[in-house]
């Protein structure tokens, strides 16, 4: 029962959806949640988008041409309908030539970290997509906003809440839009988890359990193990998906966290945690348990509700996401998550459609990440006011 609404969430949903032209079915609470359950899954919205001619598409410049930019974002930008890969920003001269050749990037749209601010005068670039190590997101987002560009920052948004706030402020002051690379908000199986959870299809949620772990290998020089660049270990990098999934399934932000961390290889994990486990408490009796590790493997999101269960495994991958409920397997297409995510942001800029993954959501999550670290370090329950 929601006291503010005077009815159960499911009843409220039914009432609202009966209202003429209701697009947003369930505007939940304060920003902290920012979970607006949509009438249609995003791939259905995207199918109906009309592709713009190339010259009308918004130009995106990728900043930091590492694995994610080269393996996922640049290929995804070959399929987008409202935006296109127009520029690059890199500190590695060899990549300039390689990318120019592979993607036909014009010489005038290639920048490095020193001359990046000159991008202000380049009308071919509308959006800067920051794909750098975590602690660099804030600087490049702020510089991009000050250069008059809209921004997508990769997750985690930054390595402190203060940095996130400065990023939001810079975009607001320059009247630019800001979003976070939360691709799973555009993935239909994950959207189905939002629907099943928030509509209480199987009754109220009792608990969720999520794991996202991978084996990082033995190279001590990767930035993910360097606290200054990463801001933390697997929690910041991939545990963030588990936190996100719990929140978008439950549809509200947590009110408190407890946590424990464990490191067996002290040499490799001298700066960041190796494995971390946490519980997020939600209003009522709901609890979300999460685990994330750099020395194990795991990728699932399971939900137990009063009258049934539903789950994804794998839950957070780029493709091949599989879902099942106690009524049977989910049947949704595999989509190019990054294509949909970037087109959704372009649509937001061009047509004022909703920004589903705004900077404020990134800030909320960074506050949760650091509350989990505080809980792990102190052994205390940490309350959140999101
Ligand atoms: P990589 O290490 O593969 O790439 C990072 C790139 O940043 C480098 O190739 C380099 O590009 C540039 N860079 C600039 N300064 C540094 C520095 N001091 N150390 C290392 N690299 C530097 O990382 P990823 O591509 O895996 O991750 C980048 C960001 O994307 C992270 O924030 C990560 O969390 C996020 N990410 C998000 C994913 C998602 O699913 N949404 C998936 C994977 C990553 P150059 O040579 O061009 O200068």
């Amino acid at each position: 029962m929601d006291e503010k609404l005077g009815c159960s969430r499911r009843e409220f949903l039914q009432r609202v959806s009966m209202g003429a032209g209701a697009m947003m079915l369930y505007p939940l609470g304060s920003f902290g949640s920012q979970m607006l359950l949509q009438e249609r899954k995003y791939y259905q919205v995207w199918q109906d988008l009309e592709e713009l001619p190339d010259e009308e598409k918004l130009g995106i410049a990728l900043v930091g041409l590492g694995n994610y930019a080269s393996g996922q974002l640049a290929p995804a930008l070959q399929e987008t309908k409202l935006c296109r890969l127009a520029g690059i920003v890199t500190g590695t001269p060899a990549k300039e030539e390689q990318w120019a050749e592979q993607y036909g990037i014009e010489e005038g749209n290639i920048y490095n970290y020193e001359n990046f601010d000159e991008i202000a005068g380049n009308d071919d670039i509308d959006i800067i997509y920051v794909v750098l190590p975590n602690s660099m997101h804030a600087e490049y987002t702020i510089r991009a906003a000050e250069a008059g560009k809209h921004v997508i920052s990769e997750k985690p948004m930054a390595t402190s809440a203060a940095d996130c706030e400065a990023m939001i402020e810079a975009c607001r002051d320059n009247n630019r839009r800001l979003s976070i690379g939360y691709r799973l908000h555009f993935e239909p199986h994950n959207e189905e988890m939002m629907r099943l959870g928030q509509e209480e299809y199987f009754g109220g949620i009792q608990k969720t359990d999520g794991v996202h772990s991978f084996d990082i290998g033995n190279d001590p020089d990767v930035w993910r193990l360097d606290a200054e660049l990463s801001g933390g270990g697997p929690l910041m990098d991939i545990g963030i998906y588990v936190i996100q999934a719990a929140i978008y399934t439950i549809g509200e932000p947590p009110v408190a966290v407890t946590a424990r961390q464990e490191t067996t290889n002290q040499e490799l994990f001298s700066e960041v945690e190796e494995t971390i486990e946490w519980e997020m408490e939600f209003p009522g009796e709901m609890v979300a348990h999460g685990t994330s590790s750099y020395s194990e493997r795991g990728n699932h999101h399971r939900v137990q509700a009063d009258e049934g269960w539903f789950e994804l495994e794998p839950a957070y991958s780029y493709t091949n996401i599989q879902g099942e409920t106690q009524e049977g397997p989910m049947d949704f297409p595999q989509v190019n998550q990054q294509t949909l995510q970037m087109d959704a942001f372009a649509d937001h800029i061009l047509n004022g459609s909703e920004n589903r993954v705004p900077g404020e959501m990134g800030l909320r999550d960074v506050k949760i990440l650091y509350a989990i670290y505080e809980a792990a370090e102190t052994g205390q329950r940490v309350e959140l006011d999101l």
Side-chain angles (χ1 to χ4, degrees), residues 11-237:
E11 283 162 1
F12 174 71
L13 189 71
Q14 281 161 356
R15 277 188 224 166
V16 175
S17 65
M18 284 187 292
M23 264 305 287
M24 311 299 187
L25 292 187
Y26 187 49
L28 276 161
S30 65
F31 170 75
S33 53
Q34 186 80 11
M35 308 287 7
L36 301 175
L37 197 56
Q38 310 290 326
E39 195 168 274
R40 293 195 302 163
K41 295 202 166 40
Y42 192 74
Y43 76 94
Q44 296 168 316
V45 174
W46 186 81
Q47 274 165 358
D48 290 347
L49 289 179
E50 205 165 308
E51 178 158 8
L52 292 174
D54 256 15
E55 63 279 9
E56 288 178 29
K57 287 181 176 174
L58 296 182
I60 293 195
L62 298 175
V63 186
L65 308 180
N67 287 323
Y68 193 54
S70 59
Q72 307 302 322
L73 297 177
L77 281 163
Q78 309 312 303
E79 295 176 31
T80 36
K81 294 177 173 178
L82 307 182
C83 51
R84 65 189 178 91
L85 177 57
I88 50 172
V89 183
T90 178
T92 309
K95 293 181 188 172
E96 296 185 4
E97 202 176 318
Q98 188 212 322
W99 280 64
E101 196 171 310
Q102 187 171 357
Y103 293 111
I105 311 238
E106 289 170 30
E107 205 183 318
N109 291 351
I110 299 177
Y111 296 84
N112 56 47
Y113 303 120
E114 284 71 45
N115 66 16
F116 172 65
D117 307 283
E118 291 169 17
I119 213 162
N122 188 336
D123 292 342
D124 235 14
I125 311 289
D126 303 285
I127 300 170
I128 301 289
Y129 196 147
V130 181
V131 208
L132 293 162
N134 306 338
S135 68
M136 299 172 76
H137 295 173
E139 177 189 341
Y140 284 85
T141 295
I142 292 167
R143 284 169 71 179
E146 286 174 352
K149 307 302 179 187
H150 303 287
V151 190
I152 309 174
S153 165
E154 257 314 321
K155 42 55 57 177
M157 182 173 176
T159 51
S160 72
D163 274 358
C164 296
E165 280 160 1
M167 293 158 81
I168 291 169
E169 207 176 295
C171 290
R172 193 189 301 129
D173 288 352
N174 290 284
N175 196 20
R176 298 296 87 185
R177 308 298 166 89
L178 171 62
S179 84
I180 308 300
Y182 286 141
R183 56 187 167 78
L184 290 172
H185 284 252
F186 307 90
E187 196 288 315
H189 301 81
N190 278 272
E191 286 183 276
E192 182 66 356
M193 297 298 276
M194 299 177 196
R195 187 185 76 79
L196 295 172
Q198 293 186 38
E199 284 186 5
E200 299 186 357
Y201 182 86
F202 289 108
I205 291 176
Q206 295 172 357
K207 60 180 179 183
T208 73
D209 175 62
V211 174
H212 197 189
S213 301
F214 75 94
D215 188 341
I216 200 165
N218 294 315
D219 180 358
D221 295 327
V222 295
W223 67 261
R224 284 182 164 81
L225 299 180
D226 177 339
E228 208 161 300
L229 285 168
S230 63
L235 178 68
M236 298 287 286
D237 190 23

Side-chain angles (χ1 to χ4, degrees), residues 372-385:
I372 290 173
Y373 281 133
E374 185 187 336
E377 272 155 32
T378 61
Q380 304 289 312
R381 175 177 180 272
V382 175
E383 291 191 5
L384 287 158
D385 183 17

